[in-house]
Amino acid sequence: MSTALSPTALAQQFTSLFGAAPDGIWAAPGRVNLIGEHTDYNEGFVLPFAIDRTANVAVRLRGDNTARLVSSYGNQGVVEVDLDTLSRDSMSGWTAYPLGVVWVLRQQGVAVGGFDLFLDSTVPTGAGLSSSAAIECAVATAFNELLDAQLSPGALVLVGQRAENEVVGAPTGILDQSASLLSTDGHAVFLDCRSQASQLVPLALAAAGLIVLVVDTKVTHAHATGGYAARRASCELGAEVLGVAALRDVDAEDLAEAAGLLDEETFRRVRHIVTEDMRVLETVSVLEASGPSAIGDLLTASHASMRDDFEISCPELDLAVDTALSNGALGARMTGGGFGGSAIALIPASAEATVRTAVLDAFAAAGFTTPDIFAVSPAAGARRIV
Ligand code: GLA
């Protein structure tokens, strides 16, 4: 899934498979989260940016109630579904993402009828770069436009999140879909996850001679099970004991008192969220005042908090971060939900080869799977491309 079909090739394959040209092609990007991890479902702050890798969907409305879906990856062939029988539990595999969005739209009164859909994506799956949100946002944007549903970008974010929560079964927040839908070239999205208010913050990496390098550790994670849900439960417990609606409402000055009220582990989970919210706010002010070369320490502090307090890192992510830092990175951290996936390193462009080689060598020496290493830049959000 690394080589994108050109829009022309995607349209051609669509046409030869389904017998008619698509009505259009929509693209939505994956994301990197610069900082603000697990703060979204605590109604706090995040600062992601869309990356220059997208899920592209070619769609044609059919006029009946049949959905036919195919993707350029995997060998599953065409999946055909009668939309009248579509239920939350009937979806599985990759089609749960597009069909999940269709199910939510229909629940919300948007009359999605039959369609043909061809998906192609260059967002790596299982890498913590929101390949699933990219599919959801491309599909939601396509139907919003094709059916003139007039849903705002913020409403589309919630459609994608509902598909993830209620169909896929992952209790995730609004970070990924917001990044995919609200991003603009050259900017990060500063999002208040309580109000959904967002602001674009310039992230002029190239002008500062910097790049963001992604290290995909190849350690796969699944947020529908395990650690992610457990962390969310700890945060909800913390908020309940502290008597607040969400951990967003706990300030740094409240932490000393919180330590006496919470068990040791829950306290550390809470401390990560409280300090991470502060780091996001500080990153935004530092970016605005001094540009990206000044935010490295905040990124690295965020990683330490996730490793030690929130405990969502893993040896591969820690090795990627430490190796990048000792080879010239200004800052580095794991990004996304954790328990695997990717780390990001903010490095001078001139250090790219050094960091790349050092990380590959360190992984080989540790006996870890060879990681994928590539640069990303802040890219545009979901849009129609044909
Ligand atoms: C995953 C979830 C997001 C967010 C991050 C952690 O990417 O989908 O909602 O919680 O983890 O910041």
Side-chain angles (χ1 to χ4, degrees), residues 31 33 35-42 45-46 128-130 132-133 161 164-165 170-177 221 223 228 232 272 276 306 310 312 333-338:
R31 62 100 189 93
N33 192 16
I35 195 161
E37 226 64 85
H38 286 254
T39 44
D40 61 350
Y41 57 78
N42 288 296
F45 304 101
V46 293
L129 301 174
S130 297
S132 53
Q161 185 201 18
E164 197 77 46
N165 292 172
T172 49
I174 60 171
L175 165 68
D176 307 341
Q177 292 82 7
H221 62 285
H223 295 328
Y228 185 95
R232 186 165 183 156
H272 165 70
E276 185 78 348
M306 290 187 284
F310 218 57
I312 54 171
R333 60 190 290 280
M334 52 146 281
T335 190

Side-chain angles (χ1 to χ4, degrees), residues 279-331:
R279 282 186 290 269
V280 175
L281 298 176
E282 201 177 338
T283 302
V284 172
S285 3
V286 171
L287 269 178
E288 284 170 344
S290 316
S293 56
I295 64 169
D297 290 347
L298 287 159
L299 305 188
T300 306
S302 168
H303 185 77
S305 179
M306 290 187 284
R307 183 192 58 213
D308 303 335
D309 273 356
F310 218 57
E311 294 181 283
I312 54 171
S313 190
C314 65
E316 290 84 350
L317 287 166
D318 291 341
L319 185 63
V321 165
D322 293 345
T323 309
L325 288 172
S326 52
N327 284 276
L330 306 181

Side-chain angles (χ1 to χ4, degrees), residues 56-382:
N56 296 348
V57 291
V59 183
R60 185 177 74 91
L61 300 180
R62 289 169 52 89
D64 59 10
N65 252 340
T66 299
R68 296 189 295 177
L69 306 98
V70 72
S71 74
S72 58
Y73 54 96
N75 291 318
Q76 300 109 318
V78 178
V79 175
E80 191 166 321
V81 176
D82 176 356
L83 290 176
D84 290 332
T85 66
L86 192 67
S87 71
R88 244 192 330 197
D89 311 321
S90 65
M91 297 172 246
S92 63
W94 73 271
T95 58
Y97 300 103
L99 289 175
V101 165
V102 167
W103 180 82
V104 173
L105 286 170
R106 284 163 63 100
Q107 292 281 311
Q108 294 185 186
V110 179
V112 185
F115 60 88
D116 293 331
L117 181 152
F118 199 127
L119 164 70
D120 180 49
S121 179
T122 53
V123 188
T125 50
L129 301 174
S130 297
S131 57
S132 53
I135 300 172
E136 291 153 8
C137 294
V139 171
T141 304
F143 285 116
N144 191 39
E145 192 173 324
L146 283 169
L147 301 171
D148 196 22
Q150 308 266 348
L151 295 173
S152 67
L156 293 176
V157 165
L158 300 179
V159 167
Q161 185 201 18
R162 257 192 90 185
E164 197 77 46
N165 292 172
E166 296 180 30
V167 178
V168 179
T172 49
I174 60 171
L175 165 68
D176 307 341
Q177 292 82 7
S178 300
S180 188
L181 284 157
L182 307 178
S183 284
T184 302
D185 215 11
H187 292 73
V189 179
F190 172 39
L191 177 72
D192 178 335
C193 298
R194 173 167 276 170
S195 67
Q196 265 192 290
S198 65
Q199 181 195 326
L200 294 166
V201 181
L203 189 61
L205 296 172
L210 299 174
I211 58 172
V212 169
L213 210 56
V214 169
V215 179
D216 172 6
T217 63
K218 303 283 182 172
V219 178
T220 51
H221 62 285
H223 295 328
T225 51
Y228 185 95
R231 293 304 177 279
R232 186 165 183 156
S234 286
C235 291
E236 282 162 6
L237 172 67
E240 192 187 323
V241 173
L242 298 175
V244 291
L247 292 182
R248 148 60 169 286
D249 300 312
V250 181
D251 294 327
E253 308 83 71
D254 303 327
L255 281 176
E257 192 190 340
L261 297 169
L262 300 167
D263 66 83
E264 191 270 338
E265 184 184 278
T266 308
F267 173 68
R268 283 188 291 113
R269 307 296 188 243
V270 168
R271 183 167 60 187
H272 165 70
I273 300 301
V274 173
T275 58
E276 185 78 348
D277 270 335
M278 291 165 60
R279 282 186 290 269
V280 175
L281 298 176
E282 201 177 338
T283 302
V284 172
S285 3
V286 171
L287 269 178
E288 284 170 344
S290 316
S293 56
I295 64 169
D297 290 347
L298 287 159
L299 305 188
T300 306
S302 168
H303 185 77
S305 179
M306 290 187 284
R307 183 192 58 213
D308 303 335
D309 273 356
F310 218 57
E311 294 181 283
I312 54 171
S313 190
C314 65
E316 290 84 350
L317 287 166
D318 291 341
L319 185 63
V321 165
D322 293 345
T323 309
L325 288 172
S326 52
N327 284 276
L330 306 181
R333 60 190 290 280
M334 52 146 281
T335 190
F339 307 102
S342 297
I344 53 170
L346 179 68
I347 65 173
S350 57
E352 179 173 356
T354 309
V355 172
R356 185 187 288 277
T357 307
V359 171
L360 288 171
D361 288 351
F363 270 59
F368 294 158
T369 303
T370 307
D372 246 357
I373 305 178
F374 51 92
V376 290
S377 40

